[in-house]
Amino acid sequence: MNDAEIRSLRQETESLFYHGFSNYMEHAFPEDELRPLSCKPLTRDQTNPAHIELNDPLGNYSLTLIDSLSTLAILASSPGSEPKRGRALGHFQDGVVALVEHYGDGTETIHGRGTRARGFDVDSKVQVFETVIRGVGGLLSAHLFATGELPITGYEPRHMAVKDTSGKEIIKWSETFNYDGQLLRLAHDLGSRLLPAFSTITGLPYPRVNLRSGVPFYRNSPLSCEAEHGQCPVTPPTNRELTETCSAGAGSLVLEFTVLSRLTGDPRFEYLAKRAFWSVWERRSNIGLIGAGIDAETGLWASSFTGLGAGIDSFFEYALKSYILLSGSSALDYPFHGDYDMDGLDLAPPLGPEHHDPTRFLQVWEEAYAGIKHHLYRGVMYMHPHYIQADLFTGAARAYWMDSLSAFFPGLLTLSGDVDDAVEIHLLFTALWTRYSALPERWSAVTGSIEGGLGWWGGRPEFIESTYHIYRATKDPWYLHVGEMTLRDIKRRCWTKCGWSGMQDVRTGERNDRMESFFLGETAKYLHLLFDPEHPLNKLDAPFVFTTEGHPLLIPRSVRTDHAPQRKKSMPEQTKPPVEIGTCPVPVAPVPFSISVTATRPDLFHAANLARLHLMPTIENLDSPIIEYSRDHPSITLSDVRSPSNYTYFPWTLPLELVPFNGMSSVITTRPTYDITFPALPNSVLTPGMLQRVGNGILINGVGGLRLGMIQDVPVSYGGSGDGDLYRVQAINNIPLGKDEKIFMGRDIVSSVVNPQDPNFTRVRDSTMLDIIVDVTAPALQPGRSPNSMDELREPDPKVMREAVLAGVLDANSETASHVKMALSFLANHVSSILHEQPAKPDPKYLREYLPAITPTGVGAAPVPDFVEASGPDISGAPQGSLLWNSIYVTGENCNHKLPASIPRQYQIIVIKRGGCSFVEKLENIPSFAPSRTSLQLVIVVSFEDGDDQSRAEDLLVRPLLDSVQVTSSGLPRHNPVSLVMVGGGQRVYDIFQHAVRLGLKRRYSVHAQGVPISNLIIV
């Protein structure tokens, strides 16, 4: 796309904005929004207070003008003639003057009262979140432009500065108006009216507040009590106000409120917004996910539903952007010094210094994204990568739709440097826009159609916002053509003579009579910045951010105390892990003789196929209201009224020269699934008690009539055999499971029901790995526990399943805790049936350790002796049973001398350090002995190559090689070869054996289906 084409698109975008803005000012101002079909203002629904879709954002304070001011300031820097830039700057200044005329200048003087109200003293119950991001954010961004903190080409406030009669410096805009911070004072007025919503014990703000009276409708708020008597009304209101807010609404206030605090010196806003953010994050589930709805009074999740879109989206956005905005700035001191009224606002626990550290916000983003990628992400095996909705506590799939709000995520990934992930997700949204000429509110990846009839598009900016960010990172012209497509479709489908309408149904083109404020505040803004590569904001070298409403914000240098935060040493310097410094990737170089990297991607058709782009209708005769208007209007072109055909490449505006002539799609990977159904046994009925949820999985008490739905996590390549891939049980009798959830099945159930020769469900003993269980004297592990102690058991190896690893599967606070006794009783019965020689309980004087061990290979390797298996922990994590071997001898490398003859006769276990000589030589120095129950049973070699990093000890274990037949020290073949295993962990594990009093072994088992291991099925 050449410069002339980009310039033309930028001019069309400006015309799009002015068509909406001018009609709003003519037909709707000073009301909140415009009805573009009826050419009338849109106001709050006074007759129906429950109409929150309308009443939440509309507060009777000229919302669209406030939302549009920052866009006008950005347009004022558009390349072109001076009169053209002056037009936008004039509209910006006139808008500020109009606001001051209607709402005052924010002071307590006579000038503080406008024609409508003194400040925002209006009787409107609004949503806190919407008012902050649209109202407070819009006023603050406009103030930063007005004072020159954010750039406007040719506007130099310092050259316009004069002093008034009191000596105060002001900016002279005209003979009749001087700017002296009116917008900032109005933002403080509006923000102060929202503070009563924070009077909760959880730190989470109530969802709504009345701009005049506060929160009298929340009966549990101390600010709704009678001030004279200090108590709440005896008779509560008949209709209880909804106290449920959302993660996005409570956790997405930090940017606006921090800037407000820094500019005004009032620290309450920043503090309360941060407290709300951390109150949400600290309630995340054990698997690192946050939910959508949360109760502001109790702090409990309203449902176990989670995803990326509505109710959650901007929390992730503000985690990353708070880090950017706050980086290098001074921390907030608390308690505050000065006259700041926190009455009723200090009920929640105070924040610590760590909660103000910018890097903590970055850590939240990184942890949150890790949880999202693990639990919500569906990869290439599902045709094309996308995200789904899941259970907050288990990660199990709950729904498979994508909403238009989640289109923000590729842009956020781009800001975090994950450009590759951003591009692949953005492809699907682009294919969907190409198909529908807009993004429907919800679209199902399973059915390929609109979900639940939610087919409207209200002018949302999220998809265009992501397109802008990816283009800024890649400079790939493909994204300019995506922007061109959205511009053409909006003009073709949403134009009215009085503005721009939303679409009630993207399939039929039915329109609604509303132009939302964010259409001018965000959608038009991001389109303009996309087509203006040289805009000063696109080159601003400062930690500025766009809020979730698209308002650029920064903390000005004049109020910013830069510093390098000093971190306390949490560990000795030599043991600190290296700090990984992230960098933004360099844009990928295009394929030779091509222009666009994205246009040559081999997975383009994958996204088109998942979006069912081939189903896009071909419209021969276009019927659009813009056709008649185009006859005498220079801003409308034939491109705006033409309709795309059902191309399978996209966007539909992509010129043919960008489509590679020999482009090929990569093979769409298959998604192997496999179901196993167990036959119903005679006289058995599948009851709810046969399946019990136990924290991180499901305990199966019987298999009659059971159906396991499985999927291979590692995709099978086209035409491949699938060797080495793993199955994962993703559903039991239509009960979905999360990616980390386990299936626990009793060993006797498997052995009594399943045919050992059945290839569909085969229990396989692991011939390589086993577990060593050690009872250790308690003082031996003080002051710290071994990393392999019960409270830190690692997850089972995905390739080789451990048997009965149930440590920590029960959450003490889980709603399933009532099943503990039943599940424990069940497991105890089955375990005791195979532990004939073991007492019922372990000795309480000892601590129990679990160490992974690996068997040797080679001609000198001897099998592990027959033994009665030790028992793993019960489902509460407590050790079970005693251990059989109680005589343990610990020596050094055993290379340079022969052990005394009595050692193998009197000790059942010999522990040797690795190194100094070969494994065969170590065994040569063990004298011959007559086998018995009390003589040597096993030699354990402790490897020191991996140091003390027990967390990776199992991963680093390599099978010892015994490359010659075992012989005695005299060179004669050993009649009774010695069994040997090796463990990792270095000195720490060696110390464990030095203080060991008993030891046992436990085998590992896995279950295979058609020769493929089932990764999350554990035999107990």
Side-chain angles (χ1 to χ4, degrees):
M1 186 176 289
N2 57 44
D3 292 342
E5 292 173 319
I6 296 175
R7 181 170 60 252
S8 176
L9 291 172
R10 181 172 61 247
Q11 292 170 350
E12 290 185 44
T13 304
E14 293 174 12
S15 297
L16 175 143
F17 172 82
Y18 284 124
H19 179 63
F21 179 75
S22 299
N23 277 285
Y24 163 75
M25 295 301 292
E26 179 181 351
H27 298 290
F29 181 79
E31 303 300 338
D32 286 316
E33 288 182 346
L34 168 68
R35 293 184 183 272
L37 296 177
S38 54
C39 301
K40 296 179 180 179
L42 179 65
T43 60
R44 294 172 56 82
D45 190 345
Q46 302 290 353
T47 62
N48 182 16
H51 191 184
I52 57 176
E53 179 186 356
L54 195 64
N55 292 335
D56 273 356
L58 306 189
N60 283 339
Y61 55 81
S62 308
L63 178 61
T64 297
L65 175 58
I66 293 177
D67 234 354
S68 301
L69 287 176
S70 61
T71 308
L72 283 166
I74 288 172
L75 292 180
S77 294
S78 178
S81 62
E82 186 66 32
K84 181 181 176 182
R85 292 199 302 267
R87 175 192 179 192
L89 182 59
H91 279 302
F92 171 76
Q93 294 176 330
D94 290 344
V96 174
V97 173
L99 279 178
V100 173
E101 288 177 352
H102 284 79
Y103 303 100
D105 65 358
T107 65
E108 296 297 327
T109 68
I110 188 174
H111 302 293
R113 176 173 294 279
T115 57
R116 275 199 132 194
R118 176 177 286 277
F120 298 102
D121 182 23
V122 290
D123 187 16
S124 300
K125 185 167 74 171
V126 296
Q127 190 187 75
V128 173
F129 169 66
E130 292 287 355
T131 307
V132 169
I133 65 172
R134 301 198 199 195
V136 176
L139 291 168
L140 289 174
S141 185
H143 168 75
L144 292 171
F145 277 112
T147 56
E149 300 291 352
L150 288 172
I152 298 177
T153 302
Y155 174 69
E156 299 291 343
R158 65 179 183 273
H159 296 157
M160 305 159 61
V162 296
K163 292 187 177 181
D164 62 12
T165 56
S166 64
K168 179 182 176 182
E169 190 172 271
I170 58 177
I171 302 171
K172 189 176 183 62
W173 278 3
S174 69
E175 294 300 326
T176 59
F177 187 87
N178 299 317
Y179 185 77
D180 62 356
Q182 292 94 329
L183 294 179
L184 177 59
R185 293 193 294 271
L186 287 174
H188 186 270
D189 176 86
L190 183 57
S192 299
R193 296 177 185 278
L194 303 177
L195 293 185
F198 292 84
S199 59
T200 66
I201 61 174
T202 62
L204 301 166
Y206 285 116
R208 294 172 182 85
V209 65
N210 187 289
L211 294 178
R212 175 173 294 166
S213 58
V215 289
F217 32 81
Y218 293 116
R219 62 190 184 191
N220 292 328
S221 169
L223 300 185
S224 67
C225 299
E226 299 178 18
E228 182 179 352
H229 304 290
Q231 61 184 10
C232 295
V234 177
T235 304
T238 54
N239 296 326
R240 186 177 185 272
E241 183 74 18
L242 186 68
T243 57
E244 177 187 337
T245 184
C246 62
S247 298
S252 306
L253 311 172
V254 177
L255 301 182
E256 293 86 353
F257 270 15
T258 294
V259 173
L260 182 57
S261 283
R262 300 301 175 97
L263 292 177
T264 62
D266 186 342
R268 295 177 299 171
F269 303 101
E270 179 178 349
Y271 179 83
L272 293 173
K274 287 179 177 177
R275 191 177 69 181
F277 176 91
W278 291 112
S279 294
V280 172
W281 181 242
E282 288 164 359
R283 287 168 171 80
R284 66 191 181 278
S285 67
N286 291 334
I287 60 175
L289 299 177
I290 62 172
I294 187 170
D295 192 281
E297 291 186 341
T298 66
L300 299 178
W301 295 110
S303 72
S304 60
F305 195 88
T306 188
L308 281 182
I312 308 175
D313 48 358
S314 55
F315 178 86
F316 307 124
E317 181 183 359
Y318 275 45
L320 177 62
K321 290 182 178 179
S322 294
Y323 163 71
I324 297 172
L325 181 74
L326 294 167
S327 293
S329 65
S330 58
L332 185 69
D333 292 328
Y334 187 83
F336 308 138
H337 303 287
D339 187 19
Y340 301 111
D341 184 11
M342 288 288 287
D343 237 358
L345 302 178
D346 54 357
L347 304 177
L351 298 179
E354 68 278 6
H355 293 111
H356 301 288
D357 184 354
T359 58
R360 286 290 304 275
F361 289 92
L362 178 62
Q363 291 170 5
V364 170
W365 157 247
E366 292 173 340
E367 292 178 29
Y369 181 48
I372 291 168
K373 190 69 180 286
H374 183 66
H375 296 287
L376 307 185
Y377 179 78
R378 303 178 97 193
V380 293
M381 69 190 70
Y382 292 89
M383 196 173 300
H384 187 78
H386 59 279
Y387 293 91
I388 62 172
Q389 283 66 46
D391 186 275
L392 170 63
F393 302 104
T394 67
R398 293 283 295 274
Y400 302 95
W401 48 260
M402 302 160 48
D403 63 2
S404 61
L405 283 170
S406 61
F408 88 99
F409 202 61
L412 186 62
L413 291 177
T414 303
L415 289 178
S416 70
D418 300 295
V419 180
D420 290 340
D421 292 349
V423 168
E424 68 175 11
I425 298 300
H426 184 267
L427 282 178
L428 180 56
F429 285 111
T430 306
L432 285 174
W433 184 290
T434 304
R435 177 181 173 186
Y436 292 107
S437 294
L439 278 187
E441 185 69 8
R442 283 187 188 178
W443 176 83
S444 172
V446 173
T447 66
S449 58
I450 290 173
E451 175 84 7
L454 304 180
W456 63 78
W457 182 73
R460 290 196 189 279
E462 286 77 15
F463 172 64
I464 301 170
E465 173 189 359
S466 288
T467 303
Y468 160 71
H469 285 301
I470 298 178
Y471 176 70
R472 295 302 308 163
T474 65
K475 302 299 172 52
D476 191 326
W478 191 83
Y479 296 98
L480 294 175
H481 292 289
V482 173
E484 180 188 7
M485 174 181 67
T486 60
L487 177 62
R488 300 277 179 245
D489 286 335
I490 290 171
K491 294 176 72 174
R492 176 169 57 89
R493 307 190 78 189
C494 302
W495 180 90
T496 74
K497 64 179 181 179
C498 291
W500 304 96
S501 71
M503 278 183 282
Q504 194 62 32
D505 193 323
V506 297
R507 295 164 294 190
T508 65
E510 178 188 356
R511 294 176 294 168
N512 59 41
D513 197 10
R514 183 178 183 183
M515 186 177 73
E516 299 243 25
S517 70
F518 54 66
F519 181 79
L520 299 180
E522 293 184 84
T523 306
K525 178 183 298 169
Y526 284 121
L527 271 175
H528 177 83
L529 288 172
L530 173 66
F531 298 133
D532 190 357
E534 301 302 317
H535 194 281
L537 269 186
N538 287 332
K539 297 182 175 297
L540 182 60
D541 184 15
F544 86 98
V545 293
F546 288 99
T547 70
T548 195
E549 188 68 11
H551 296 302
L553 291 179
L554 55 70
I555 299 176
R557 294 183 182 275
S558 58
V559 296
R560 185 185 190 94
T561 306
D562 292 339
H563 75 293
Q566 299 294 324
R567 296 189 179 184
K568 296 181 179 179
K569 291 187 177 181
S570 56
M571 59 183 74
E573 194 67 32
Q574 64 271 18
T575 64
K576 280 190 176 181
V579 177
E580 185 175 335
I581 301 176
T583 58
C584 292
V586 175
V588 179
V591 177
F593 307 107
S594 68
I595 300 174
S596 168
V597 173
T598 306
T600 59
R601 286 177 63 100
D603 60 348
L604 267 178
F605 182 72
H606 300 191
N609 198 26
L610 182 58
R612 281 71 162 181
L613 190 53
H614 57 284
L615 299 179
M616 188 176 82
T618 301
I619 305 175
E620 301 297 342
N621 298 317
L622 183 66
D623 182 17
S624 172
I626 203 172
I627 293 179
E628 181 178 355
Y629 182 73
S630 66
R631 295 172 183 168
D632 55 0
H633 201 285
S635 68
I636 304 302
T637 67
L638 181 63
S639 300
D640 299 318
V641 297
R642 78 182 185 192
S643 175
S645 64
N646 58 341
Y647 303 134
T648 51
Y649 67 87
F650 57 95
W652 64 262
T653 50
L654 192 69
L656 291 178
E657 57 265 26
L658 261 67
V659 180
F661 75 95
N662 60 347
M664 295 185 65
S665 170
S666 60
V667 175
I668 296 179
T669 54
T670 60
R671 180 167 51 90
T673 59
Y674 192 73
D675 286 358
I676 296 178
T677 301
F678 295 89
L681 301 178
N683 303 319
S684 68
V685 179
L686 186 62
T687 63
M690 296 178 67
L691 301 177
Q692 297 178 353
R693 186 169 289 282
V694 286
N696 71 334
I698 291 181
L699 176 67
I700 298 177
N701 294 330
V703 296
L706 191 72
R707 181 164 57 86
L708 302 180
M710 299 185 294
I711 183 173
Q712 276 190 310
D713 281 340
V714 181
V716 179
S717 302
Y718 184 78
S721 63
D723 294 340
D725 296 332
L726 303 176
Y727 277 123
R728 174 176 61 87
V729 178
Q730 62 175 349
I732 304 179
N733 288 13
N734 295 325
I735 300 175
L737 299 178
K739 292 181 179 179
D740 292 337
E741 288 195 281
K742 313 293 190 300
I743 307 299
F744 304 105
M745 187 177 292
R747 187 189 310 176
D748 63 335
I749 291 179
V750 177
S751 58
S752 63
V753 176
V754 179
N755 185 341
Q757 305 302 319
D758 186 351
N760 298 310
F761 197 82
T762 310
R763 191 186 74 166
V764 179
R765 176 188 291 181
D766 191 335
S767 60
T768 303
M769 297 294 299
L770 47 79
D771 289 306
I772 298 176
I773 304 178
V774 188
D775 279 346
V776 187
T777 53
L781 297 181
Q782 302 303 325
R785 294 287 307 277
S786 163
N788 245 355
S789 59
M790 281 299 307
D791 55 346
E792 299 182 19
L793 276 177
R794 300 178 60 227
E795 295 294 338
D797 189 301
K799 295 185 179 296
V800 186
M801 292 298 94
R802 294 185 188 182
E803 175 192 346
V805 181
L806 292 176
V809 299
L810 274 178
D811 182 354
N813 297 322
S814 171
E815 61 183 16
T816 62
S818 60
H819 296 307
V820 172
K821 292 184 179 179
M822 295 178 63
L824 181 58
S825 175
F826 167 82
L827 283 181
N829 291 336
H830 292 301
V831 173
S832 62
S833 67
I834 59 173
L835 299 179
H836 305 291
E837 303 180 32
Q838 298 187 12
K841 294 182 179 180
D843 193 324
K845 298 192 300 291
Y846 307 120
L847 298 175
R848 181 155 291 186
E849 302 297 319
Y850 299 78
L851 305 173
I854 193 167
T855 59
T857 187
V859 296
V864 176
D866 291 334
F867 59 91
V868 177
E869 289 192 37
S871 178
D874 64 20
I875 62 173
S876 66
Q880 295 186 109
S882 184
L883 306 177
L884 295 181
W885 298 327
N886 54 20
S887 54
I888 304 169
Y889 181 81
V890 181
T891 184
E893 293 179 344
N894 200 41
C895 291
N896 301 321
H897 64 279
K898 181 179 178 181
L899 291 178
S902 60
I903 296 299
R905 300 171 187 169
Q906 297 177 2
Y907 290 93
Q908 298 165 311
I909 303 295
I910 295 178
V911 179
I912 301 174
K913 289 184 177 181
R914 182 181 182 182
C917 59
S918 69
F919 295 105
V920 173
E921 291 172 325
K922 293 177 187 293
L923 295 181
E924 283 184 20
N925 289 324
I926 298 178
S928 300
F929 60 95
S932 69
R933 293 174 59 87
T934 59
S935 65
L936 180 62
Q937 305 293 317
L938 182 70
V939 171
I940 301 175
V941 176
V942 181
S943 174
F944 284 73
E945 288 187 0
D946 49 7
D948 290 334
D949 186 7
Q950 187 63 27
S951 64
R952 299 188 60 215
E954 181 173 345
D955 298 332
L956 297 174
L957 282 177
V958 178
R959 298 188 72 179
L961 175 62
L962 277 64
D963 53 359
S964 61
V965 176
Q966 291 189 29
V967 296
T968 63
S969 57
S970 59
L972 298 175
R974 193 183 291 274
H975 292 294
N976 299 296
V978 177
S979 299
L980 178 145
V981 297
M982 187 169 71
V983 298
Q987 186 63 43
R988 186 166 184 80
V989 170
Y990 187 76
D991 292 342
I992 288 175
F993 286 117
Q994 286 185 312
H995 297 86
V997 293
R998 293 191 182 91
L999 187 146
L1001 296 182
K1002 181 166 67 66
R1003 299 187 187 276
R1004 296 184 179 186
Y1005 298 87
S1006 62
V1007 176
H1008 291 213
Q1010 294 288 342
V1012 179
I1014 304 175
S1015 64
N1016 61 334
L1017 198 155
I1018 300 176
I1019 305 298
V1020 297

